[in-house]
Amino acid sequence: MAKRPDTIETVVLAIELLRRIPRSHRITAGELHQQLQQAGIERDLRSVQRQLKLLCEHFDIECDSREKPYGYRWLPYSKALLVPNLSAQESLLLQLAEEHLRNLLPSRLMKSMDSFFTQARHNLGPGSDARLEREWPGKVRVVATSQPLLPPKIEAGVMEAVSDALYHNHWLHLDYKNSRGKHSQADVMPLGLAQQGPRLYLVCRFRNYDDNRNLALHRILSASVSAFAFQRPQDFDLKRYDDDGRFGFGTGERIALSFKITRNAGMQLLETPLSPDQKVVELENGWLQVTATVVDSMLLRRWLAGFGEAVTNVHQEPAAK
């Protein structure tokens, strides 16, 4: 018998649906259709609905038709496919990834992985045997280096549009209000996304300009992805941009910095230097003389000012080329 041209596509669709149907809660055909689209699998909703009907006939999948839209889930006794077979260690990894990387991964990817994250939480739930893995998140923590602040509110749809445009190298149309309350609309080329404490910043270039700007996501009132793509600039490197102090309100200028600091306040610099060329000289009366080549920025000046009278004799000059 000749093989139908769409046999492979049908099998792929079936496998993807089987992987994404949860055990712990119901999911609708519309939600599964959206997850497939976000994973780059283009099928119409009717095809998904037809495939789900077939899967219910041949697998231990329940169709809850008590209310519309219908909901689907694996029956409690079933072994399901792939996702429930995540090991405890893999479930722990996914749980930590969801918690710490949700703002640094494309929104489409996070949403397409939702069934995996849900299953990971289920695998580490109170009824599971993964006691040690379940305890681990309570044993580790990323702690703040300054006064903790609650994250600002980001308008609905902004994060999704920004990450989608950044991922696909598409122009982005923004409705934006800056810190002084000035309102503007602009087309920007998204180049990078950075998380600084509780805030997220988009590094971008405005249309017809060559300089890079930082825009706070919580000040974007709305965002929409253009159908037009752009060629990512070869002269932009996000790591170098960060190393130049651009997120610390600097311009990339390197300076030779020197200052005196009390030993009690400066102990951290003996363990975590300001720069590879830092030098520390012990002075009399419990003071340290520190010299280092660093990037000049407002963040640096605020850091020095935070020591109060424990820092004195601050001097800076342009660093040698």
Side-chain angles (χ1 to χ4, degrees), residues 287-300:
W287 285 79
L288 303 174
Q289 176 72 46
V290 180
T291 58
T293 302
V294 295
V295 174
D296 188 20
S297 68
M298 186 183 297
L299 189 64
L300 173 67

Side-chain angles (χ1 to χ4, degrees), residues 175-217:
D175 189 359
Y176 185 79
K177 183 172 67 175
N178 67 17
S179 58
R180 296 184 295 276
K182 182 181 178 181
H183 183 273
S184 61
Q185 294 186 350
D187 292 326
V188 302
M189 177 189 296
L191 300 177
L193 187 65
Q195 182 169 344
Q196 187 179 53
R199 294 181 172 86
L200 287 167
Y201 291 94
L202 171 68
V203 185
C204 63
R205 291 184 185 179
F206 284 70
R207 190 182 290 276
N208 300 323
Y209 289 87
D210 294 328
D211 59 324
N212 304 313
R213 310 282 187 88
N214 298 341
L215 300 182
L217 257 66

Side-chain angles (χ1 to χ4, degrees), residues 40-107:
I41 303 171
E42 296 296 335
R43 296 289 188 279
D44 58 63
L45 180 59
R46 292 297 298 274
S47 296
V48 172
Q49 291 171 331
R50 286 195 298 268
Q51 192 66 53
L52 285 170
K53 183 178 179 181
L54 288 173
L55 293 178
C56 288
E57 295 174 0
H58 297 282
F59 292 88
D60 296 326
I61 296 173
E62 174 186 57
C63 175
D64 183 358
S65 58
R66 291 174 295 181
E67 58 179 279
K68 292 187 176 181
Y70 294 171
Y72 301 86
R73 68 172 182 174
W74 285 95
L75 292 170
Y77 60 80
S78 67
K79 292 185 178 181
L81 179 72
L82 293 183
V83 175
N85 290 337
L86 284 171
S87 69
Q89 293 80 12
E90 291 166 338
S91 298
L92 174 59
L93 177 62
L94 279 175
Q95 182 173 303
L96 292 175
E98 180 186 22
E99 179 179 352
H100 295 288
L101 299 178
R102 64 170 58 253
N103 292 325
L104 299 179
L105 290 173
S107 295

Side-chain angles (χ1 to χ4, degrees), residues 25-36 38:
H25 66 283
R26 67 195 298 274
I27 190 170
T28 67
E31 290 170 330
L32 287 167
H33 180 239
Q34 185 179 39
Q35 285 191 18
L36 292 172
Q38 289 159 349

Side-chain angles (χ1 to χ4, degrees), residues 79-288:
K79 292 185 178 181
L81 179 72
L82 293 183
V83 175
N85 290 337
L86 284 171
S87 69
Q89 293 80 12
E90 291 166 338
S91 298
L92 174 59
L93 177 62
L94 279 175
Q95 182 173 303
L96 292 175
E98 180 186 22
E99 179 179 352
H100 295 288
L101 299 178
R102 64 170 58 253
N103 292 325
L104 299 179
L105 290 173
S107 295
R108 283 176 174 266
L109 174 60
M110 291 297 294
K111 289 181 178 178
S112 72
M113 293 283 290
D114 182 66
S115 60
F116 293 87
F117 293 136
T118 299
Q119 193 58 54
R121 289 192 294 270
H122 175 78
N123 288 351
L124 299 180
S128 71
D129 296 328
R131 180 180 62 83
L132 295 178
E133 288 79 9
R134 185 167 60 250
E135 291 177 352
W136 184 254
K139 297 178 179 180
V140 294
R141 189 166 183 83
V142 177
V143 298
T145 57
S146 60
Q147 174 60 39
L149 300 172
L150 294 177
K153 179 183 177 182
I154 297 176
E155 295 295 335
V158 167
M159 183 66 192
E160 290 79 2
V162 168
S163 65
D164 194 29
L166 179 62
Y167 183 77
H168 289 101
N169 294 325
H170 275 220
W171 285 91
L172 190 64
H173 182 74
L174 301 180
D175 189 359
Y176 185 79
K177 183 172 67 175
N178 67 17
S179 58
R180 296 184 295 276
K182 182 181 178 181
H183 183 273
S184 61
Q185 294 186 350
D187 292 326
V188 302
M189 177 189 296
L191 300 177
L193 187 65
Q195 182 169 344
Q196 187 179 53
R199 294 181 172 86
L200 287 167
Y201 291 94
L202 171 68
V203 185
C204 63
R205 291 184 185 179
F206 284 70
R207 190 182 290 276
N208 300 323
Y209 289 87
D210 294 328
D211 59 324
N212 304 313
R213 310 282 187 88
N214 298 341
L215 300 182
L217 257 66
H218 61 275
R219 297 195 183 113
I220 299 176
L221 304 179
S222 65
S224 58
V225 183
S226 167
F228 296 100
F230 62 84
Q231 189 70 32
R232 188 170 175 83
Q234 295 296 315
D235 62 344
F236 179 78
D237 182 272
L238 186 60
K239 181 182 184 303
R240 185 172 66 245
Y241 186 80
D242 182 26
D243 291 342
D244 286 343
R246 304 292 178 164
F247 296 110
F249 305 99
T251 59
E253 180 185 0
R254 302 185 73 79
I255 59 171
L257 175 70
S258 66
F259 57 91
K260 292 181 180 178
I261 187 170
T262 62
R263 182 174 178 81
N264 286 340
M267 276 295 296
Q268 59 176 307
L269 296 178
L270 299 176
E271 301 167 339
T272 53
L274 281 168
S275 68
D277 69 349
Q278 174 184 288
K279 295 180 180 178
V280 179
V281 178
E282 296 254 7
L283 303 176
E284 297 179 354
N285 303 321
W287 285 79
L288 303 174

